[in-house]
Amino acid sequence: MSDDFVLDVTRIREDARRKMEAGPVTDSYGVDSERVIDILNDVIATEMVCWLRYTRHAISATGIDRAQVAAEFTEHAAQEMQHAMRAAERVSQLGGEPDFDPATLARRAHTDYTTPSPNELKEMLEHNLLAERIVISSYQEIVRWLADRDPTTRRLLESILEEEEEHADDILDLLGT
Ligand SMILES: [Fe+2]
Ligand SMILES: [Fe+2]
């Protein structure tokens, strides 16, 4: 049963010639690209809010463990920005417009922007751990939904997800010290 795979190259070649303007989006793309673009635009919003929150916390943190916590937040912030850029590039590849509109970022993001008091390092760590856990769950669900219908977007999300899990683990280590 496993060797009945026949690749109909003639059909694929004909399909590829149609809708050339769609670039990388071909007939074998297995999901509604508009829906994927919307989801990725919410990922961009989520990552931008995470960047804002980590940056704010890194700058305002005070107290005895300030340096270590601020360094970790700054590193995470840089990675969140990269995640937003990677999601935006994928939106563009899919023929969409990346949405960085600040007017709607907070509403579209899966996580919240928070402002704990500067000396509440533990509270800051907890807010960021909660955000990472929300991001991990939502990206896992997107990955499961995409399944094998858009492997490139799925792998992008999987690669980002791996870093979000590292972020959660880093924060857990800091909370433990
Ligand atoms: Fe991220
Ligand atoms: Fe993260």
Side-chain angles (χ1 to χ4, degrees), residues 157-167:
L157 267 297
E158 283 173 346
S159 152
I160 294 174
L161 178 60
E162 192 176 328
E163 291 192 356
E164 310 301 10
E165 291 184 9
E166 283 170 19
H167 291 171

Side-chain angles (χ1 to χ4, degrees), residues 42-149:
D42 289 352
V43 168
I44 292 173
T46 302
E47 297 292 349
M48 292 307 297
V49 166
C50 288
W51 177 79
L52 289 166
R53 191 187 52 255
Y54 272 126
T55 302
R56 162 63 151 86
H57 291 193
I59 289 168
S60 68
T62 59
I64 190 139
D65 295 318
R66 183 205 179 275
Q68 196 185 6
V69 170
E72 199 69 50
F73 287 172
T74 302
E75 189 187 315
H76 289 192
Q79 286 174 331
E80 310 303 12
M81 177 63 83
Q82 281 304 312
H83 296 166
M85 297 303 290
R86 288 163 71 192
E89 277 165 20
R90 185 59 184 156
V91 166
S92 179
Q93 278 185 352
L94 292 172
E97 302 284 348
D99 188 352
F100 287 90
D101 187 350
T104 58
L105 279 187
R107 179 171 55 71
R108 292 185 294 120
H110 304 155
T111 58
D112 296 324
Y113 177 80
T114 64
T115 53
S117 56
N119 57 349
E120 292 291 345
L121 286 184
K122 185 166 180 285
E123 200 181 326
M124 285 184 185
L125 288 163
E126 284 168 353
H127 285 190
N128 288 299
L129 178 58
L130 175 65
E132 294 292 351
R133 286 173 54 79
I134 291 166
V135 166
I136 289 165
S137 284
S138 65
Y139 291 4
Q140 278 175 345
E141 290 198 14
I142 298 169
V143 163
R144 280 191 211 108
W145 177 73
L146 285 168
D148 58 358
R149 298 179 297 176

